[in-house]
Amino acid sequence: MSTATHDSPTAPAVVGRLSHLDRFLPLWIGLAMAVGLLLGRLVPGLDSALDAVTVGGISLPIAIGLLIMMYPVLAKVRYDRLGTVTGDRRLLVSSLVLNWLVGPALMFALAWIFLADQPAYRTGLIIVGLARCIAMVIIWNDLAGGDREAAAVLVALNSVFQVVAFGLLGWFYLAVLPGWLGLSGTGLAVSGADLAGNVLIFLGIPLLAGYLTRRLGERARGRDWYETRLLPRIGPAALYGLLFTIVILFALQGDAITGRPLDVARIALPLLVYFAVMWAGSYLLGRAVGLGYARTTTLAFTAAGNNFELAIAVAIGTFGVTSGQALAGVVGPLIEVPVLVGLVYVSRWARHRLFPTTAARS
């Protein structure tokens, strides 16, 4: 993608900078959901066919789809630039606090507030809150005029930290904290080892593959070739993998979705609140600590975005492909994508009002 300009573009200009695949991503997701629903109703015995071969408790077609959609986005990360951001203590500390303390805690609270009587959906939302952004947020950050290198570094840090912390945090928020707070009705027996195992498979494998692809590709042909020739070729595979996975998930979730549309709406509501609160709060925090527009924008988008691919993978691996937890994960991208695209425009609008000095120089 081209470097984001620092003037405030119109909505068509921002959308026009996306590829056709990314520009209509909400539409593709909606179509994939519709195709999945039709397959679930028209193809008998689909459940048995998908479960014939499993990997880590997940049907092989879904496992392949999940790995395919994770790999390209991790191949885009600049793993050699950790030092460009780690020296900015304000940005680094703010990001770590927002991503690994505030974000999971906020989603936990919203899940219990909105879905106290739906333990499966509640658990799915909590998993989404634990899956911090690792890739697609770079697109939104770039369009909003954020600091591209800072976004890449924060994404890399989240990727590594996620492998280490996801299982422990999942065990804490799903099995320990509800008991401490006297919350009942969870009906959970969550193993931190099981969660960590699924993270290692569906994040660790594509993370290693992405790192090696960049390292070996740049060594063999150079960075310019890697960035301008290879990445555009493999990038669309992430969307194809996501859409394929959504088709299969909705084929297996068809009865639950069509039979309980109000449940889908109930899952969507706390997600909307979460994205709005996390983005606005992070944006105001960045301004308060004096980060400037570019890094404030990066902080806001990396804190608000979630790795719904990982959330779906963990929900399927831990609770099953037809579980309510998996359904909550699938609803995630349907809400997150249009919301974060809208926040690109909000960020551009807020720049001239909250950062007048920076805007004057552009």
Side-chain angles (χ1 to χ4, degrees):
M1 297 190 61
S2 61
T3 303
T5 59
H6 292 290
D7 54 340
S8 182
T10 63
V14 174
V15 174
R17 296 178 58 208
L18 289 169
S19 68
H20 287 294
L21 288 174
D22 292 329
R23 187 184 310 173
F24 300 107
L25 184 54
L27 174 62
W28 306 141
I29 291 175
L31 290 175
M33 294 167 61
V35 171
L37 292 175
L38 290 175
L39 285 176
R41 291 189 171 275
L42 298 177
V43 181
L46 186 60
D47 295 21
S48 300
L50 290 174
D51 289 335
V53 181
T54 62
V55 175
I58 301 178
S59 67
L60 181 59
I62 294 179
I64 292 174
L66 292 170
L67 291 173
I68 288 174
M69 71 181 178
M70 294 289 287
Y71 161 68
V73 291
L74 288 169
K76 295 179 181 179
V77 174
R78 290 289 302 272
Y79 298 96
D80 60 333
R81 293 193 172 178
L82 291 176
T84 64
V85 173
T86 53
D88 189 339
R89 297 293 180 87
R90 296 170 301 172
L91 177 64
L92 186 62
V93 172
S94 296
S95 179
L96 290 176
V97 169
L98 288 168
N99 274 288
W100 297 103
L101 294 179
V102 177
L106 175 61
M107 189 68 87
F108 175 87
L110 292 173
W112 274 96
I113 291 172
F114 287 95
L115 297 167
D117 60 333
Q118 296 286 345
Y121 300 153
R122 185 177 66 235
T123 298
L125 282 185
I126 293 172
I127 292 174
V128 170
L130 295 175
R132 311 312 302 166
C133 71
I134 65 166
M136 188 174 290
V137 70
I138 292 177
I139 297 174
W140 319 132
N141 173 78
D142 195 48
L143 290 174
D147 187 323
R148 181 184 292 175
E149 298 307 325
V153 169
L154 295 182
V155 162
L157 289 176
N158 276 343
S159 300
V160 175
F161 202 81
Q162 210 150 199
V163 174
V164 177
F166 191 100
L168 179 60
L169 289 175
W171 168 75
F172 174 75
Y173 278 104
L174 295 177
V176 176
L177 187 57
W180 287 359
L181 299 177
L183 302 173
S184 60
T186 59
L188 296 174
V190 180
S191 167
D194 290 342
L195 288 173
N198 282 289
V199 174
L200 287 173
I201 293 173
F202 295 105
L203 177 59
I205 291 176
L207 176 63
L208 178 61
Y211 171 78
L212 292 176
T213 299
R214 176 174 282 279
R215 184 175 179 84
L216 297 177
E218 290 186 353
R219 179 181 296 176
R221 303 291 296 274
R223 179 162 296 167
D224 182 68
W225 173 87
Y226 184 86
E227 296 281 354
T228 62
R229 302 293 296 276
L230 181 61
L231 286 184
R233 292 178 181 177
I234 66 176
L239 176 59
Y240 300 144
L242 171 62
L243 296 179
F244 172 79
T245 304
I246 289 177
V247 167
I248 301 302
L249 286 172
F250 273 76
L252 298 175
Q253 292 277 7
D255 291 338
I257 295 169
T258 58
R260 297 189 298 271
L262 290 179
D263 287 358
V264 175
R266 289 189 63 188
I267 294 171
L269 183 57
L271 284 169
L272 286 170
V273 175
Y274 172 84
F275 293 132
V277 172
M278 282 298 296
W279 188 89
S282 302
Y283 204 91
L284 293 175
L285 174 62
R287 184 177 185 275
V289 299
L291 288 180
Y293 173 79
R295 291 199 167 180
T296 292
T297 298
T298 298
L299 178 67
F301 278 98
T302 54
N306 287 87
N307 181 6
F308 49 77
E309 299 96 332
L310 177 61
I312 292 171
V314 172
I316 293 172
T318 307
F319 300 100
V321 70
T322 59
S323 66
Q325 291 88 345
L327 176 60
V330 170
V331 174
L334 185 65
I335 304 301
E336 176 174 342
V337 171
V339 167
L340 291 188
V341 170
L343 288 174
V344 169
Y345 307 134
V346 174
S347 182
R348 287 291 192 174
W349 173 87
R351 175 179 190 173
H352 295 275
R353 290 155 181 80
L354 298 181
F355 300 90
T357 302
T358 302
R361 293 198 303 265
S362 60

